[in-house]
Amino acid sequence: MYRIAVCENDSDNTWFVKKLLEERYGNVLVIDAYEEARDLLNDWRSAGKPLQDILLMDIHFKYEDGIFVVEELQKLFGRICVIFMTGFAGYAERAFCTNPVYFLIKPLTKERLCTAVDKAMERIRKRRGATLVISEREGIILIPKDILYIESNLRILEIYGQNKKWTVKMKFSELMEKLPPHFVRVHQSFVVNMNYATALRGHKIELPGEVEIPVSRARYKEAREGFMSCFQGRVRDK
Protein backbone atom coordinates (compact mmCIF):
# COMPACT_ATOMS: atom_id res chain seq x y z
CA MET A 1 0.00 0.00 0.00
CA TYR A 2 1.14 3.53 -0.78
CA ARG A 3 0.01 6.90 0.54
CA ILE A 4 -0.18 9.82 -1.87
CA ALA A 5 -0.83 13.51 -1.22
CA VAL A 6 -2.67 15.42 -3.92
CA CYS A 7 -1.76 19.09 -3.48
CA GLU A 8 -4.08 21.05 -5.75
CA ASN A 9 -5.85 24.36 -5.07
CA ASP A 10 -8.64 23.72 -7.56
CA SER A 11 -11.29 21.44 -6.00
CA ASP A 12 -12.53 20.29 -9.42
CA ASN A 13 -9.05 19.19 -10.42
CA THR A 14 -8.60 17.46 -7.07
CA TRP A 15 -11.83 15.52 -7.59
CA PHE A 16 -10.75 14.59 -11.13
CA VAL A 17 -7.31 13.37 -10.03
CA LYS A 18 -8.70 11.38 -7.10
CA LYS A 19 -11.27 9.76 -9.42
CA LEU A 20 -8.57 8.69 -11.89
CA LEU A 21 -6.35 7.32 -9.13
CA GLU A 22 -9.17 5.40 -7.45
CA GLU A 23 -10.23 3.86 -10.77
CA ARG A 24 -6.70 2.75 -11.58
CA TYR A 25 -5.28 1.75 -8.18
CA GLY A 26 -8.25 1.07 -5.89
CA ASN A 27 -7.13 0.21 -2.37
CA VAL A 28 -3.45 0.19 -3.32
CA LEU A 29 -3.40 3.97 -2.83
CA VAL A 30 -4.52 5.96 0.20
CA ILE A 31 -5.19 9.51 -1.00
CA ASP A 32 -4.83 12.68 1.09
CA ALA A 33 -5.89 16.02 -0.40
CA TYR A 34 -4.46 19.48 0.34
CA GLU A 35 -5.67 22.80 -1.06
CA GLU A 36 -2.48 24.55 0.10
CA ALA A 37 1.00 23.04 -0.18
CA ARG A 38 2.07 24.84 2.99
CA ASP A 39 -0.49 22.79 4.96
CA LEU A 40 1.30 19.61 3.89
CA LEU A 41 4.62 21.16 4.88
CA ASN A 42 3.25 22.05 8.31
CA ASP A 43 1.84 18.54 8.80
CA TRP A 44 5.20 16.93 8.02
CA ARG A 45 7.01 19.37 10.29
CA SER A 46 4.61 18.70 13.15
CA ALA A 47 4.91 14.93 12.72
CA GLY A 48 8.69 15.09 12.38
CA LYS A 49 8.57 12.52 9.57
CA PRO A 50 7.16 12.02 6.05
CA LEU A 51 3.43 11.30 6.09
CA GLN A 52 3.01 10.25 2.46
CA ASP A 53 5.09 8.15 0.05
CA ILE A 54 4.30 10.19 -3.06
CA LEU A 55 3.51 13.88 -3.54
CA LEU A 56 1.39 14.90 -6.52
CA MET A 57 2.17 18.59 -6.37
CA ASP A 58 0.72 21.57 -8.20
CA ILE A 59 3.04 24.57 -8.31
CA HIS A 60 0.89 27.69 -8.14
CA PHE A 61 -0.76 28.28 -4.74
CA LYS A 62 -1.99 31.32 -2.85
CA TYR A 63 0.86 31.13 -0.36
CA GLU A 64 4.15 29.19 -0.77
CA ASP A 65 4.51 27.60 -4.20
CA GLY A 66 4.83 23.85 -4.63
CA ILE A 67 8.49 23.88 -5.63
CA PHE A 68 9.46 25.86 -2.52
CA VAL A 69 7.53 23.41 -0.32
CA VAL A 70 9.29 20.41 -1.89
CA GLU A 71 12.67 22.11 -1.41
CA GLU A 72 11.87 22.67 2.27
CA LEU A 73 10.75 19.06 2.72
CA GLN A 74 13.95 17.80 1.10
CA LYS A 75 16.02 19.87 3.53
CA LEU A 76 14.20 18.23 6.42
CA PHE A 77 13.68 14.67 5.21
CA GLY A 78 15.99 14.03 2.25
CA ARG A 79 14.72 12.19 -0.81
CA ILE A 80 11.07 12.61 -1.73
CA CYS A 81 9.03 11.03 -4.54
CA VAL A 82 7.32 14.05 -6.09
CA ILE A 83 5.33 14.42 -9.29
CA PHE A 84 4.75 18.02 -10.34
CA MET A 85 1.62 18.98 -12.26
CA THR A 86 1.12 22.45 -13.66
CA GLY A 87 -0.33 24.37 -16.56
CA PHE A 88 2.87 26.38 -16.94
CA ALA A 89 5.82 24.69 -18.64
CA GLY A 90 8.03 27.61 -17.64
CA TYR A 91 8.36 26.14 -14.15
CA ALA A 92 10.15 23.06 -15.50
CA GLU A 93 13.77 24.20 -15.10
CA ARG A 94 13.29 25.17 -11.45
CA ALA A 95 11.20 22.07 -10.70
CA PHE A 96 13.79 19.69 -12.13
CA CYS A 97 16.34 20.93 -9.59
CA THR A 98 14.37 18.91 -7.01
CA ASN A 99 14.79 15.69 -9.02
CA PRO A 100 11.09 14.93 -9.47
CA VAL A 101 9.80 11.57 -10.66
CA TYR A 102 7.74 13.27 -13.36
CA PHE A 103 6.67 16.69 -14.61
CA LEU A 104 3.09 16.73 -15.89
CA ILE A 105 1.55 19.52 -17.94
CA LYS A 106 -2.16 20.16 -17.46
CA PRO A 107 -4.72 19.21 -18.60
CA LEU A 108 -3.91 15.76 -17.23
CA THR A 109 -4.84 12.51 -18.90
CA LYS A 110 -5.35 9.20 -17.13
CA GLU A 111 -2.57 7.61 -19.18
CA ARG A 112 0.09 10.21 -18.32
CA LEU A 113 -0.96 10.47 -14.68
CA CYS A 114 -0.81 6.69 -14.18
CA THR A 115 2.52 6.47 -15.99
CA ALA A 116 3.92 9.01 -13.51
CA VAL A 117 2.45 7.27 -10.45
CA ASP A 118 3.65 3.85 -11.68
CA LYS A 119 7.14 5.27 -12.01
CA ALA A 120 6.97 6.72 -8.49
CA MET A 121 5.84 3.37 -7.07
CA GLU A 122 8.69 1.59 -8.82
CA ARG A 123 11.18 4.06 -7.37
CA ILE A 124 9.75 3.46 -3.89
CA ARG A 125 9.88 -0.34 -4.31
CA LYS A 126 13.57 -0.14 -5.25
CA ARG A 127 14.27 2.23 -2.40
CA ARG A 128 12.46 0.08 0.15
CA GLY A 129 14.50 -2.89 -0.97
CA ALA A 130 17.68 -0.94 -0.32
CA THR A 131 16.62 0.96 2.76
CA LEU A 132 17.37 0.43 6.40
CA VAL A 133 14.54 1.11 8.84
CA ILE A 134 16.37 2.40 11.91
CA SER A 135 13.32 3.55 13.84
CA GLU A 136 9.76 3.62 12.48
CA ARG A 137 8.57 5.51 15.57
CA GLU A 138 11.08 8.30 14.96
CA GLY A 139 10.77 8.15 11.17
CA ILE A 140 14.46 7.34 10.58
CA ILE A 141 14.72 5.34 7.36
CA LEU A 142 18.14 5.43 5.71
CA ILE A 143 20.00 3.98 2.77
CA PRO A 144 23.12 2.18 4.09
CA LYS A 145 25.39 3.90 1.57
CA ASP A 146 24.45 7.27 3.12
CA ILE A 147 26.03 6.24 6.45
CA LEU A 148 29.75 6.82 7.13
CA TYR A 149 29.95 5.62 10.72
CA ILE A 150 27.96 5.23 13.91
CA GLU A 151 28.96 6.24 17.42
CA SER A 152 27.40 4.86 20.60
CA ASN A 153 27.06 6.71 23.88
CA LEU A 154 25.30 4.33 26.26
CA ARG A 155 21.94 3.73 24.53
CA ILE A 156 22.12 6.84 22.33
CA LEU A 157 23.40 6.24 18.80
CA GLU A 158 24.73 9.04 16.62
CA ILE A 159 24.54 8.06 12.93
CA TYR A 160 26.85 10.16 10.76
CA GLY A 161 26.42 10.77 7.03
CA GLN A 162 28.64 12.99 4.94
CA ASN A 163 26.46 16.05 5.49
CA LYS A 164 23.97 15.05 8.17
CA LYS A 165 23.64 13.35 11.55
CA TRP A 166 20.75 11.34 13.02
CA THR A 167 20.24 10.53 16.70
CA VAL A 168 18.29 7.50 17.88
CA LYS A 169 17.76 5.75 21.20
CA MET A 170 18.68 2.14 20.50
CA LYS A 171 21.02 -0.65 21.54
CA PHE A 172 24.13 -1.09 19.39
CA SER A 173 23.40 -4.82 19.14
CA GLU A 174 19.92 -4.15 17.73
CA LEU A 175 21.30 -1.89 15.04
CA MET A 176 24.10 -4.31 14.10
CA GLU A 177 21.49 -6.95 13.27
CA LYS A 178 20.05 -4.62 10.60
CA LEU A 179 23.32 -3.54 8.98
CA PRO A 180 24.91 -5.19 5.91
CA PRO A 181 28.26 -6.99 6.40
CA HIS A 182 30.47 -4.10 5.25
CA PHE A 183 29.55 -2.30 8.48
CA VAL A 184 32.20 -3.40 10.97
CA ARG A 185 32.34 -2.75 14.68
CA VAL A 186 35.90 -1.53 15.18
CA HIS A 187 35.54 -0.32 18.77
CA GLN A 188 33.10 -0.67 21.64
CA SER A 189 31.68 2.72 20.64
CA PHE A 190 32.10 2.77 16.84
CA VAL A 191 30.82 1.02 13.73
CA VAL A 192 32.33 1.96 10.35
CA ASN A 193 31.00 1.61 6.82
CA MET A 194 34.13 0.07 5.33
CA ASN A 195 33.07 1.03 1.81
CA TYR A 196 34.16 4.54 2.76
CA ALA A 197 37.36 3.66 4.64
CA THR A 198 40.33 5.23 2.86
CA ALA A 199 43.10 3.88 5.10
CA LEU A 200 43.87 1.81 8.18
CA ARG A 201 46.85 3.38 9.93
CA GLY A 202 47.88 1.91 13.22
CA HIS A 203 44.76 1.79 15.31
CA LYS A 204 42.75 4.34 13.34
CA ILE A 205 40.37 4.06 10.37
CA GLU A 206 40.41 7.07 8.08
CA LEU A 207 37.20 8.27 6.44
CA PRO A 208 36.40 11.14 4.04
CA GLY A 209 36.41 14.60 5.55
CA GLU A 210 39.55 13.92 7.62
CA VAL A 211 37.53 11.75 10.02
CA GLU A 212 39.54 9.28 12.11
CA ILE A 213 37.83 6.45 14.02
CA PRO A 214 39.70 4.60 16.79
CA VAL A 215 40.20 0.84 16.45
CA SER A 216 40.47 -1.11 19.69
CA ARG A 217 43.06 -3.86 20.15
CA ALA A 218 40.34 -6.44 20.69
CA ARG A 219 38.68 -5.58 17.37
CA TYR A 220 41.78 -4.85 15.25
CA LYS A 221 41.75 -8.18 13.40
CA GLU A 222 38.07 -7.82 12.48
CA ALA A 223 38.64 -4.22 11.42
CA ARG A 224 41.64 -5.16 9.25
CA GLU A 225 39.78 -8.02 7.57
CA GLY A 226 36.75 -5.81 6.90
CA PHE A 227 38.93 -3.03 5.49
CA MET A 228 40.90 -5.36 3.22
CA SER A 229 37.76 -7.09 1.95
CA CYS A 230 36.10 -3.82 0.93
CA PHE A 231 39.36 -2.37 -0.43
CA GLN A 232 39.96 -5.41 -2.65
CA GLY A 233 36.35 -5.24 -3.84
CA ARG A 234 36.85 -1.61 -4.91
CA VAL A 235 40.04 -2.53 -6.76
CA ARG A 236 38.29 -5.34 -8.64
CA ASP A 237 35.48 -2.99 -9.66
CA LYS A 238 37.87 -0.53 -11.28
Side-chain angles (χ1 to χ4, degrees):
M1 183 178 291
Y2 301 86
R3 196 171 200 101
I4 186 169
V6 178
C7 298
E8 166 64 73
N9 63 4
D10 186 309
S11 59
D12 289 337
N13 282 340
T14 300
W15 177 86
F16 176 70
V17 169
K18 289 180 68 176
K19 182 173 180 292
L20 293 182
L21 294 176
E22 288 167 354
E23 288 176 354
R24 170 66 174 82
Y25 298 102
N27 294 330
V28 173
L29 272 183
V30 176
I31 305 170
D32 300 319
Y34 291 84
E35 291 186 2
E36 281 293 335
R38 73 171 185 178
D39 293 337
L40 179 138
L41 174 60
N42 290 336
D43 282 355
W44 282 38
R45 280 174 172 165
S46 296
K49 63 181 180 179
L51 298 177
Q52 289 87 18
D53 303 299
I54 302 167
L55 303 184
L56 188 56
M57 180 70 71
D58 198 357
I59 294 178
H60 182 70
F61 291 92
K62 182 178 179 180
Y63 300 102
E64 288 88 350
D65 71 55
I67 299 174
F68 169 81
V69 167
V70 169
E71 290 170 340
E72 291 300 299
L73 291 173
Q74 288 177 333
K75 291 176 186 176
L76 293 169
F77 304 105
R79 304 179 186 191
I80 296 171
C81 270
V82 58
I83 300 165
F84 284 111
M85 53 181 182
T86 180
F88 303 95
Y91 285 117
E93 182 176 355
R94 185 168 154 238
F96 278 116
C97 291
T98 66
N99 190 30
V101 176
Y102 225 88
F103 187 88
L104 295 170
I105 300 295
K106 296 178 181 178
L108 303 179
T109 66
K110 184 175 182 179
E111 180 181 1
R112 289 189 293 117
L113 175 62
C114 293
T115 295
V117 173
D118 285 345
K119 188 174 180 181
M121 288 180 173
E122 179 61 24
R123 181 179 291 188
I124 292 168
R125 281 193 291 270
K126 290 180 179 178
R127 189 178 296 171
R128 284 177 176 173
T131 54
L132 178 67
V133 179
I134 304 295
S135 173
E136 289 186 357
R137 183 170 59 85
E138 297 179 56
I140 301 178
I141 302 175
L142 305 176
I143 298 175
K145 70 180 182 67
D146 290 339
I147 302 172
L148 285 179
Y149 69 97
I150 304 160
E151 182 177 1
S152 171
N153 182 10
L154 298 177
R155 292 194 61 172
I156 303 298
L157 302 183
E158 304 282 355
I159 303 170
Y160 290 84
Q162 293 193 14
N163 301 304
K164 192 170 182 179
K165 181 177 77 171
W166 301 267
T167 302
V168 62
K169 188 174 182 180
M170 188 180 197
K171 288 182 179 179
F172 228 158
S173 57
E174 293 176 9
L175 180 58
M176 288 300 295
E177 292 176 358
K178 300 183 178 186
L179 294 170
H182 55 272
F183 282 81
V184 179
R185 192 165 185 176
V186 300
H187 187 279
Q188 183 177 352
S189 301
F190 291 95
V191 166
V192 171
N193 182 349
M194 287 296 181
N195 282 341
Y196 286 108
T198 57
L200 173 60
R201 303 182 194 278
H203 284 268
K204 290 183 180 178
I205 289 280
E206 296 181 5
L207 296 170
E210 299 183 354
V211 175
E212 293 184 341
I213 303 298
V215 178
S216 68
R217 291 182 181 275
R219 298 184 181 273
Y220 181 81
K221 181 180 179 182
E222 183 181 359
R224 186 176 185 278
E225 289 175 352
F227 173 76
M228 292 304 298
S229 176
C230 289
F231 177 78
Q232 290 167 2
R234 292 197 294 267
V235 170
R236 285 195 298 269
D237 291 340
K238 289 183 178 181

